[in-house]
Amino acid sequence: AISGEIVRDIVKRVALAVGVPAEKATPHAIRRSLATLAEARGVPLADIQKQLNHQSIVTTERYLKGSRTLAHAPSEWMGELSKSKGDT
């Protein structure tokens, strides 16, 4: 199993490698943003709820409402990571 500390360290290293401030790079920010991106791409709310392991659809709705301003962050990081690897 991989620990939360190791995951946080990996996320911060990737973020720093692509120029994202380490304090903004958290697994939770990525989780929220990916859920928001899924919503924006038309993934049904019930499917997002399952992925997030929320018991209530209301929790998922609140979660998404609070995270919409973060939606661009991970996609930008991934785009920068691709550029740094020469995959663009």
Short mmCIF file of all heavy atoms in Angstrom, two decimals, residues 2 11 14 18-19 27 53 58 66 69 72 85 87:
data_model
loop_
_atom_site.label_atom_id
_atom_site.label_comp_id
_atom_site.label_asym_id
_atom_site.label_seq_id
_atom_site.Cartn_x
_atom_site.Cartn_y
_atom_site.Cartn_z
N ILE A 2 0.35 2.28 -0.55
CA ILE A 2 1.07 3.55 -0.62
C ILE A 2 0.46 4.51 0.40
O ILE A 2 -0.75 4.62 0.51
CB ILE A 2 1.01 4.13 -2.05
CG1 ILE A 2 1.92 5.33 -2.19
CG2 ILE A 2 -0.39 4.44 -2.47
CD1 ILE A 2 2.13 5.76 -3.63
N VAL A 11 2.70 14.30 -5.67
CA VAL A 11 1.93 15.40 -6.24
C VAL A 11 2.74 16.70 -6.20
O VAL A 11 2.81 17.43 -7.18
CB VAL A 11 0.57 15.56 -5.52
CG1 VAL A 11 -0.12 16.86 -5.91
CG2 VAL A 11 -0.33 14.36 -5.82
N VAL A 14 5.64 16.62 -8.82
CA VAL A 14 5.15 16.82 -10.19
C VAL A 14 4.76 18.28 -10.38
O VAL A 14 5.10 18.90 -11.40
CB VAL A 14 3.96 15.88 -10.50
CG1 VAL A 14 3.28 16.27 -11.81
CG2 VAL A 14 4.42 14.44 -10.53
N VAL A 18 6.50 21.23 -13.00
CA VAL A 18 5.81 21.95 -14.08
C VAL A 18 5.51 23.40 -13.71
O VAL A 18 4.74 24.07 -14.38
CB VAL A 18 4.54 21.22 -14.54
CG1 VAL A 18 4.88 19.85 -15.09
CG2 VAL A 18 3.51 21.12 -13.43
N GLY A 19 6.09 23.86 -12.60
CA GLY A 19 5.96 25.26 -12.24
C GLY A 19 4.74 25.65 -11.42
O GLY A 19 4.39 26.81 -11.34
N PRO A 27 -3.34 16.34 -3.21
CA PRO A 27 -4.18 15.30 -3.79
C PRO A 27 -5.66 15.70 -3.77
O PRO A 27 -6.40 15.40 -4.70
CB PRO A 27 -3.92 14.08 -2.90
CG PRO A 27 -2.54 14.31 -2.37
CD PRO A 27 -2.45 15.81 -2.18
N ASN A 53 -17.07 8.28 -3.83
CA ASN A 53 -17.50 7.48 -2.69
C ASN A 53 -18.34 8.28 -1.70
O ASN A 53 -18.22 8.13 -0.49
CB ASN A 53 -16.30 6.82 -1.99
CG ASN A 53 -16.70 5.63 -1.14
OD1 ASN A 53 -17.67 4.96 -1.44
ND2 ASN A 53 -15.96 5.39 -0.09
N VAL A 58 -26.36 14.81 -2.54
CA VAL A 58 -26.30 16.20 -2.08
C VAL A 58 -24.85 16.56 -1.72
O VAL A 58 -24.39 17.66 -2.03
CB VAL A 58 -27.25 16.42 -0.88
CG1 VAL A 58 -27.07 17.80 -0.29
CG2 VAL A 58 -28.69 16.19 -1.30
N GLY A 66 -18.38 23.79 -4.71
CA GLY A 66 -17.23 24.42 -4.07
C GLY A 66 -15.93 24.28 -4.83
O GLY A 66 -14.97 24.99 -4.56
N THR A 69 -14.09 26.50 -9.17
CA THR A 69 -13.03 27.46 -9.44
C THR A 69 -11.67 26.80 -9.54
O THR A 69 -10.73 27.39 -10.05
CB THR A 69 -12.97 28.56 -8.36
OG1 THR A 69 -12.74 27.93 -7.10
CG2 THR A 69 -14.26 29.35 -8.31
N HIS A 72 -9.53 24.19 -13.50
CA HIS A 72 -8.48 24.32 -14.50
C HIS A 72 -7.12 23.85 -14.00
O HIS A 72 -6.27 23.50 -14.79
CB HIS A 72 -8.37 25.78 -14.95
CG HIS A 72 -7.90 26.68 -13.87
ND1 HIS A 72 -8.71 27.09 -12.84
CD2 HIS A 72 -6.67 27.22 -13.62
CE1 HIS A 72 -8.00 27.87 -12.02
NE2 HIS A 72 -6.78 27.95 -12.48
N LYS A 85 7.70 16.48 -21.06
CA LYS A 85 8.07 15.15 -21.54
C LYS A 85 8.13 15.10 -23.06
O LYS A 85 8.45 14.05 -23.63
CB LYS A 85 7.07 14.09 -21.04
CG LYS A 85 7.00 13.98 -19.55
CD LYS A 85 8.23 13.33 -19.01
CE LYS A 85 8.08 13.13 -17.51
NZ LYS A 85 9.26 12.64 -16.90
N ASP A 87 5.53 15.40 -25.16
CA ASP A 87 4.37 14.68 -25.70
C ASP A 87 3.33 15.59 -26.32
O ASP A 87 2.23 15.14 -26.60
CB ASP A 87 3.68 13.87 -24.58
CG ASP A 87 4.56 12.77 -24.05
OD1 ASP A 87 5.49 12.37 -24.77
OD2 ASP A 87 4.31 12.30 -22.92
#
